[in-house]
Amino acid sequence: MRPTRIRLRLLTFNIAHGRGLSPIQGLLTQRKIRANLLKISRLLTTVEADVVAFQEVDRYSRWAGNFDQLEFLREHTRMAHAVFGINTQREGLLNLCYGNGLLSEYPIVRTENVVFGKKQIGEKGFLFVELDVAGHRVPIINLHLHYRSRVQRFKQLDRLTEWLAREHRLHGAHWSMLPIVCGDFNAPRIKSDVTASLHSHLQGLADYRLLPEATDHTFPSAWPQFTYDFVFVPPECRRAHSVVVKSFLSDHRPVLVEFEL
């Protein structure tokens, strides 16, 4: 009897604090932000995403409606599992808390959040999540890199690759595959920046594919000229293909990748 194949649909999306195409979320009411997040939840349902990796999602930030955005999205997509990784947190009158988040139809069995620095605003990091997909241990890294400094991005990439080597040594025997790496890299796939460098590093481990295709752009969403949002898939992700989803719910467009295990 042939083994059962499992289809998985993973989407990565920088939701820009729920502000849509508005330049500053702090100028929007909570009602406006909730309305935009509701549209995002409908999009996730429409594309039938099984796993969603968010960047720039907030939890009780005054500038973004002062509510738990990830839980709001989970409730309205009816996805079973959620985990939030805080990259930036500030208490007080101008309370702030945001980072990367992940929703999943599959159980989350282990997580770790890595923050690159200690800034009170604009800090970046990555969220590691290990899923149980019908008995398969599927590791995913949800990454957000520095948006302005190439030097900082390479320092952050060094942190990631060092962490990945250690994690693979300690826990890799339990994985069914090498990690999927996705997120907002804030860098195109040119040779002189981190996206290409990470691809080269991952290719040294296995035959990783970089999606979406070079002709598919994600930023800015109203008129995409660049690709900053990527998914690196290891060879265990069979028949992998991607689409950049046309939407105007953030300054980024989401990337949807479908594959079989």
Side-chain angles (χ1 to χ4, degrees):
M1 186 171 64
R2 296 179 64 185
T4 302
R5 291 180 176 177
I6 303 166
R7 187 195 72 165
L8 209 64
R9 293 169 72 88
L10 180 147
L11 183 136
T12 181
F13 195 6
N14 182 329
I15 63 170
H17 313 281
R19 67 174 179 258
L21 296 183
S22 300
I24 303 173
Q25 60 270 13
L27 299 179
L28 299 180
T29 64
Q30 184 187 106
R31 181 178 178 182
K32 282 281 190 180
I33 292 175
R34 285 180 180 267
N36 193 58
L37 293 179
L38 186 58
K39 292 176 184 177
I40 290 174
S41 67
R42 290 170 181 162
L43 175 68
L44 302 180
T45 302
T46 298
V47 302
E48 299 181 322
D50 302 302
V51 182
V52 184
F54 294 111
Q55 303 84 47
E56 294 190 354
V57 60
D58 285 66
R59 175 184 285 174
Y60 300 109
S61 295
R62 184 166 294 278
W63 72 351
N66 224 12
F67 67 102
D68 189 333
Q69 295 185 350
L70 188 65
E71 179 60 19
F72 180 91
L73 289 161
R74 191 198 65 77
E75 289 176 355
H76 286 86
T77 57
R78 297 183 180 180
M79 297 186 82
H81 307 279
V83 60
F84 179 54
I86 301 171
N87 293 335
T88 299
Q89 189 166 25
R90 183 177 66 206
E91 306 293 337
L93 182 63
L94 299 177
N95 53 296
L96 191 66
C97 181
Y98 69 90
N100 302 319
L102 186 135
L103 297 180
S104 174
E105 295 286 9
Y106 296 97
I108 297 169
V109 294
R110 196 166 67 89
T111 70
E112 183 176 346
N113 191 58
V114 177
V115 185
F116 292 130
K118 298 180 180 180
K119 292 188 296 184
Q120 287 194 326
I121 188 168
E123 194 55 81
K124 301 294 190 286
F126 64 88
L127 174 65
F128 172 80
V129 178
E130 193 174 318
L131 303 179
D132 183 344
V133 181
H136 298 272
R137 289 297 180 96
V138 177
I140 299 173
I141 295 172
N142 178 11
L143 176 66
H144 195 189
L145 297 177
H146 199 284
Y147 77 99
R148 194 163 45 190
S149 170
R150 176 178 171 273
V151 172
Q152 288 299 317
R153 284 195 294 273
F154 271 102
K155 289 181 179 179
Q156 292 168 353
L157 178 60
D158 287 343
R159 285 281 306 278
L160 171 64
T161 55
E162 289 169 4
W163 180 92
L164 181 57
R166 184 178 67 251
E167 187 71 9
H168 185 242
R169 184 176 66 252
L170 294 175
H171 302 286
H174 303 290
W175 297 342
S176 300
M177 55 195 285
L178 287 167
I180 298 167
V181 184
C182 65
D184 176 6
F185 289 70
N186 273 312
R189 63 181 86 215
I190 57 176
K191 292 182 179 180
S192 60
D193 219 317
V194 293
T195 303
S197 293
L198 179 57
H199 193 197
S200 177
H201 175 82
L202 293 173
Q203 287 278 26
L205 303 176
D207 187 20
Y208 268 82
R209 285 187 63 194
L210 173 58
L211 297 169
E213 305 299 336
T215 54
D216 295 330
H217 302 312
T218 65
F219 184 87
S221 61
W223 188 32
Q225 301 294 303
F226 308 98
T227 310
Y228 294 152
D229 307 87
F230 295 99
V231 181
F232 292 85
V233 292
E236 292 86 356
C237 299
R238 307 289 185 182
R239 303 172 187 259
H241 64 276
S242 67
V243 60
V244 174
V245 181
K246 184 177 180 180
S247 71
F248 306 100
L249 303 175
S250 167
D251 54 350
H252 290 251
R253 290 188 176 185
V255 176
L256 178 69
V257 174
E258 182 176 3
F259 56 89
E260 293 178 352
L261 292 179

